Amino acid sequence: MKRNYKQIFKLISLCAMALVVMAACGDQRPKSTSTRGIAKILCDESFQSVLEQEIAVFEYSYPEASIMPDYINEAAALDSLMRGKCDLIITSRDLTDEQRQSLKKLGRGYRSRMIAVDAIAIIVNKQNDIDELSMDDLRDIFTGKVKRWGEVFPTKLKNDSIRVLFDGSGTGVVHYIKDKFLKGGSFGKNVYAKQSSTEVFDMVETNKNVIGLIGVSWITDDLKSVEKPIAEKYEELKTKNEVSKIDFTDRIKVMPVRGDDQVHGVKPYQAYIYSGEYPLVRPIWAIDASYNGTLDHGFYTFLTGVIGQKIILQTGILPAAEPVRQVEIVN
């Protein structure tokens, strides 16, 4: 909420400044550039904690720039891009061939790049005494085949019903789990959708029978620490390449997950995301259909550049340098 109030205040201030300049100079209004103006960005809610840090550093670097984020489900973000309601989105899926062709027919160029490799963390209440879950365990839980914790493993919670919580009904996390486990099937009646990752986290923290699925950047231990001043953070990003050890918050339990060919489960630490040992990983894409030289394009360039990638590295997930797919429309 604090972020929204801040952005509303900034938007009102920028609009007021624009009106003053227009009144004084007639039609000579300030032009948006790659480092100045206002840009709207739509982002899958599960990536919010990372994007907020990207925006903070970008706006510190360019004080005349204001990035206005809206955190919605991934399907709605893609729909807005295709309808021309926004030019820059963050999602766990790249454009399909059909979507690329649709943009081309409309005369809209686009750029898309994988900017990060995220992991889906399985979180449970601290009272849960199960040591790990296998992929088969998760499949049985998601489909409703297994309804009580005692059916998974002998546990003090053996008679408690399992409640599965997602961060929404149309988010990238939901789509990923459907594709990974259901193969066209349906979730069991024990699966519920909350409104945000924060709600999922809070429910897991206070309910011993709940299992939550959440982007790993939401559970790193920096959530409980005081944020560094933005000036100090910016200087560190410019001068340091190494990253301190990143651990998870102790307010909940992060469940190790065992892959189909593994002997032991692992938690979604960066090393296991990189090695492929953690089995629940997904890409994060930035898709930009704006003109060169606009603020949207400037922020896209920042996300895919050195500083933007360093910020991602410090959040507990991995930066991902992938070749850019780009289409330029020549009139």
Side-chain angles (χ1 to χ4, degrees):
M1 291 297 292
K2 291 182 180 178
R3 171 74 199 176
N4 292 338
Y5 288 136
K6 176 185 174 185
Q7 290 299 327
I8 291 171
F9 176 77
K10 289 175 65 177
L11 177 59
I12 292 172
S13 299
L14 287 167
C15 289
M17 289 172 59
L19 289 173
V20 170
V21 174
M22 288 169 62
C25 305
D27 290 333
Q28 297 177 359
R29 66 185 69 185
K31 294 181 180 180
S32 172
T33 70
S34 59
T35 58
R36 183 185 66 199
I38 301 171
K40 178 182 179 181
I41 179 172
L42 300 182
C43 178
D44 187 281
E45 190 273 340
S46 61
F47 200 62
Q48 177 178 349
S49 61
V50 179
L51 189 65
E52 291 289 345
Q53 296 180 58
E54 296 277 6
I55 292 172
V57 175
F58 183 81
E59 290 181 343
Y60 175 80
S61 305
Y62 306 106
E64 293 185 81
S66 183
I67 306 297
M68 309 295 292
D70 193 3
Y71 300 103
I72 60 177
N73 70 63
E74 143 177 300
L78 281 164
D79 182 68
S80 293
L81 180 78
M82 300 308 297
R83 292 176 178 270
K85 295 181 178 180
C86 76
D87 289 323
L88 179 59
I89 66 172
I90 307 296
T91 175
S92 65
R93 300 184 179 197
D94 192 11
L95 295 171
T96 64
D97 290 339
E98 183 179 354
Q99 289 167 334
R100 295 188 190 99
Q101 288 301 315
S102 295
L103 288 175
K104 200 170 183 179
K105 288 178 181 177
L106 293 171
R108 296 179 68 193
Y110 72 87
R111 311 161 186 85
S112 66
R113 176 174 288 184
M114 189 171 75
I115 59 172
V117 179
D118 190 18
I120 307 302
I122 306 297
I123 60 174
V124 295
N125 187 271
K126 292 179 71 173
Q127 294 186 52
N128 193 309
D129 57 342
I130 294 177
D131 292 330
E132 67 177 27
L133 292 171
S134 70
M135 294 290 280
D136 284 338
D137 292 333
L138 291 172
R139 186 175 294 106
D140 290 343
I141 290 171
F142 296 148
T143 58
K145 181 179 178 181
V146 166
K147 298 180 175 61
R148 298 183 182 277
W149 282 110
E151 298 176 63
V152 179
F153 192 81
T155 168
K156 62 185 180 183
L157 303 179
K158 61 182 179 180
N159 295 321
D160 286 27
S161 298
I162 302 173
R163 294 180 62 202
V164 180
L165 299 183
F166 283 97
D167 56 354
S169 59
T171 66
V173 174
V174 173
H175 290 152
Y176 174 83
I177 295 300
K178 280 184 175 180
D179 293 343
K180 188 80 173 179
F181 290 96
L182 302 186
K183 309 301 182 185
S186 300
F187 285 120
K189 294 181 179 180
N190 59 327
V191 176
Y192 304 88
K194 304 304 290 183
Q195 295 299 312
S196 68
S197 297
T198 301
E199 283 193 39
V200 173
F201 185 96
D202 291 343
M203 288 292 292
V204 169
E205 187 177 19
T206 55
N207 293 270
K208 64 181 181 179
N209 65 322
V210 169
I211 179 172
L213 289 92
I214 195 169
V216 74
S217 61
W218 283 96
I219 59 170
T220 51
D221 60 4
D222 64 350
L223 294 179
K224 64 182 181 182
S225 64
V226 178
E227 282 222 17
K228 293 179 180 178
I230 187 64
E232 180 182 341
K233 187 172 183 178
Y234 180 67
E235 288 304 316
E236 285 188 357
L237 286 166
K238 288 198 302 181
T239 59
K240 290 186 177 181
N241 291 319
E242 70 278 3
V243 177
S244 302
K245 183 180 182 295
I246 296 173
D247 211 336
F248 303 129
T249 176
D250 59 4
R251 290 166 54 189
I252 47 83
K253 179 177 178 179
V254 181
M255 186 68 74
V257 178
R258 187 175 76 250
D260 293 329
D261 300 323
Q262 294 174 328
V263 177
H264 301 291
V266 297
K267 294 183 181 182
Y269 289 115
Q270 285 176 319
Y272 296 132
I273 297 172
Y274 178 77
S275 68
E277 292 174 77
Y278 188 75
L280 302 177
V281 297
R282 60 172 185 158
I284 300 295
W285 291 82
I287 304 173
D288 175 37
S290 67
Y291 290 106
N292 289 343
T294 61
L295 187 58
D296 303 74
H297 181 224
F299 187 59
Y300 170 86
T301 301
F302 176 82
L303 289 173
T304 57
V306 174
I307 298 296
Q309 292 289 287
K310 281 186 178 181
I311 293 171
I312 290 172
L313 185 62
Q314 294 181 350
T315 63
I317 61 178
L318 292 180
E322 288 285 313
V324 179
R325 294 193 183 103
Q326 183 168 325
V327 173
E328 294 292 346
I329 302 298
V330 180
N331 293 325

